[in-house]
Amino acid sequence: MARKHSKHGPHAEPLHEDDAPAAIPACWLCGRPTGKTIVWHHPVPKSRGGRDVVPMHGVCQQTLTANFTNSELQRHGMDVEALLAHPNVRKFVDWVANKDPDFTVAIAKKQR
């Protein structure tokens, strides 16, 4: 059966000026808009049965994994307020609040 239109022909969908760009999701932990790189994080680790994913900055995800074990993340689940109650995480979120969305820094070690 022949194709109605060529895959590479001039019949591509035209872009309209009224089409708004896709909304930039906010980071689940810090609430800042995500940058060029979005990490899709499992709030409940996959190893603990987690299926939901949330958008985050890479540096925010590193902070969570440096401060919590998988069991602790499973207990907190989707409750971001409980995670923000941890002093190290709160200190980090307050510090990163005015940084660029693509800001990154190495998290040196696990701070458990």
Side-chain angles (χ1 to χ4, degrees):
M1 180 173 202
R3 292 185 188 270
K4 197 171 194 178
H5 300 287
S6 170
K7 278 180 155 180
H8 307 288
H11 300 290
E13 290 291 320
L15 294 176
H16 299 288
E17 289 183 18
D18 352 339
D19 290 344
I24 298 173
C27 177
W28 181 69
L29 184 66
C30 70
R32 297 180 301 136
T34 53
K36 294 176 187 171
T37 305
I38 299 173
V39 175
W40 292 97
H41 173 72
H42 290 267
V44 176
K46 285 174 64 175
S47 64
R48 303 295 176 139
R51 294 179 186 246
D52 296 333
V53 291
V54 292
M56 290 183 73
H57 297 103
V59 70
C60 293
Q61 183 188 32
Q62 290 172 359
T63 300
L64 283 185
T65 58
N67 287 288
F68 297 102
T69 63
N70 282 350
S71 327
E72 292 170 329
L73 289 173
Q74 179 185 12
R75 280 192 296 262
H76 291 299
M78 296 291 287
D79 186 13
V80 72
E81 294 302 321
L83 296 172
L84 290 173
H86 189 280
N88 289 345
V89 175
R90 173 49 68 190
K91 183 177 176 182
F92 167 79
V93 168
D94 291 344
W95 174 73
V96 81
N98 296 323
K99 305 283 188 234
D100 183 64
D102 291 316
F103 173 78
T104 185
V105 65
I107 304 297
K109 61 180 178 139
K110 298 208 176 222
Q111 302 169 356
R112 297 185 189 146

